[in-house]
């Protein structure tokens, strides 16, 4: 059996972006991909970018350029991806560009340019990974993202343009993830979102279920 393709990964930006990176990395391992700690050992490299301020844009473009120079095959995702021309004008050789929390699009681009070693529908997560998935934080804490986006239109902030309107996760999903993290040894859960105080507004605080009980 041939060795599975290896994916290099660079995660930039805020804790919310880190959570997105963890989810993509977990899906890669579910599908049997290997992960490479270096550019040289990777079949391709994914760069999860930040684009919130000018210095973050510059850092993202620099890292994309470094990955192209060292590896040559790069997929870009994350906040800067919503301004794809900013990336492609500087680095036209990138294989694909997607926006933030675009998990299916990222995986689709990876499948296209480095096919999965087995059918993604086989679902080997329980065999390969703990229930909490891959975490990029130290073992004792983890980020728990409860929503995406923001409904405010502050003149100094571009987050709604990059990450969209408020989308809250169902509370049952949040609690189940929290339980999985605690079972994996996490002792501190750091709740993150673009607008934590607005959590649930878009859901109109409708009831959900956790462990068979309405909450």
């Amino acid at each position: 059996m041939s060795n599975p393709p290896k994916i290099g990964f660079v995660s930039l930006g805020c804790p919310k972006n880190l959570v997105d990176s963890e989810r993509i990395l977990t899906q890669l391992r579910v599908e049997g991909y290997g992960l490479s700690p270096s550019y040289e050992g990777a079949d391709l490299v994914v760069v999860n970018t930040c684009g919130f301020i000018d210095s973050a844009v510059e850092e993202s473009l620099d890292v994309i350029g470094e990955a192209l120079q060292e590896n040559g095959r790069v997929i870009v995702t994350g906040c800067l991806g919503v301004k794809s021309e900013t990336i492609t004008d500087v680095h036209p050789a990138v294989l694909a560009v997607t926006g933030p929390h675009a998990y299916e699009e990222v995986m689709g681009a990876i499948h296209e340019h480095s096919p999965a070693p087995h059918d993604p529908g086989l679902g080997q997560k329980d065999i390969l990974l703990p229930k909490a998935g891959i975490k990029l934080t130290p073992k004792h804490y983890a980020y728990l993202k409860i929503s995406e986006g923001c409904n405010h239109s502050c003149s100094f902030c571009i987050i709604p343009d990059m990450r969209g309107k408020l989308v809250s996760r169902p509370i049952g999903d949040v609690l189940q993830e929290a339980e999985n993290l605690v079972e994996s040894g996490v002792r501190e859960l750091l709740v993150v979102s673009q607008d934590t105080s607005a959590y649930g507004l878009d859901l109109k605080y409708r009831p959900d279920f956790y462990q068979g009980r309405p909450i």
Side-chain angles (χ1 to χ4, degrees):
M1 181 176 178
S2 60
N3 292 327
K6 290 186 177 181
I7 308 299
F9 206 100
V10 182
S11 185
L12 305 173
C14 67
K16 296 173 287 294
N17 227 32
L18 190 74
V19 173
D20 293 342
S21 296
E22 291 173 340
R23 179 167 176 177
I24 297 168
L25 288 167
T26 297
Q27 186 61 34
L28 287 169
R29 293 298 292 128
V30 166
E31 295 186 14
Y33 285 95
L35 301 178
S36 173
S38 68
Y39 291 133
E40 296 81 3
D43 292 273
L44 63 80
V45 176
V46 177
V47 180
N48 191 3
T49 60
C50 179
F52 185 51
I53 56 177
D54 289 346
S55 60
V57 173
E58 292 175 7
E59 180 186 24
S60 293
L61 292 174
D62 287 347
V63 170
I64 294 167
E66 179 182 75
L68 282 169
Q69 181 178 353
E70 297 295 330
N71 182 276
R73 307 181 74 233
V74 178
I75 291 171
V76 180
T77 187
C79 287
L80 190 58
V82 301
K83 299 180 179 180
S84 59
E85 68 283 353
T86 300
I87 297 168
T88 55
D89 286 351
V90 179
H91 301 300
V94 296
L95 300 175
V97 179
T98 76
H101 51 87
Y103 312 114
E104 293 182 3
E105 291 89 338
V106 174
M107 293 306 303
I110 294 171
H111 294 156
E112 178 182 353
H113 296 285
S114 188
H118 63 72
D119 182 356
L122 291 177
Q124 297 185 7
K125 184 174 182 179
D126 291 337
I127 299 173
L128 297 173
L129 298 168
K131 289 169 66 176
I134 290 177
K135 293 299 164 189
L136 299 176
T137 50
K139 185 177 180 180
H140 68 283
Y141 76 85
Y143 294 110
L144 180 63
K145 185 159 64 172
I146 63 172
S147 67
E148 274 293 351
C150 178
N151 287 341
H152 297 294
S153 55
C154 302
S155 60
F156 58 83
C157 181
I158 60 173
I159 287 296
D161 293 333
M162 288 188 164
R163 301 192 79 97
K165 294 292 187 180
L166 175 70
V167 179
S168 300
R169 295 178 61 195
I171 187 63
D173 291 352
V174 173
L175 289 175
Q176 185 60 62
E177 182 178 351
E179 179 181 309
N180 292 345
L181 288 167
V182 171
E183 287 181 355
S184 72
V186 171
R187 291 294 173 260
E188 182 177 358
L189 298 177
L190 305 178
V191 175
V192 294
S193 67
Q194 271 72 47
D195 187 2
T196 305
S197 63
Y199 173 77
L201 276 175
D202 56 317
L203 301 177
K204 301 186 185 302
Y205 304 109
R206 66 171 177 260
D208 196 19
F209 288 87
Y210 174 62
Q211 296 184 340
R213 294 180 287 109
I215 52 175

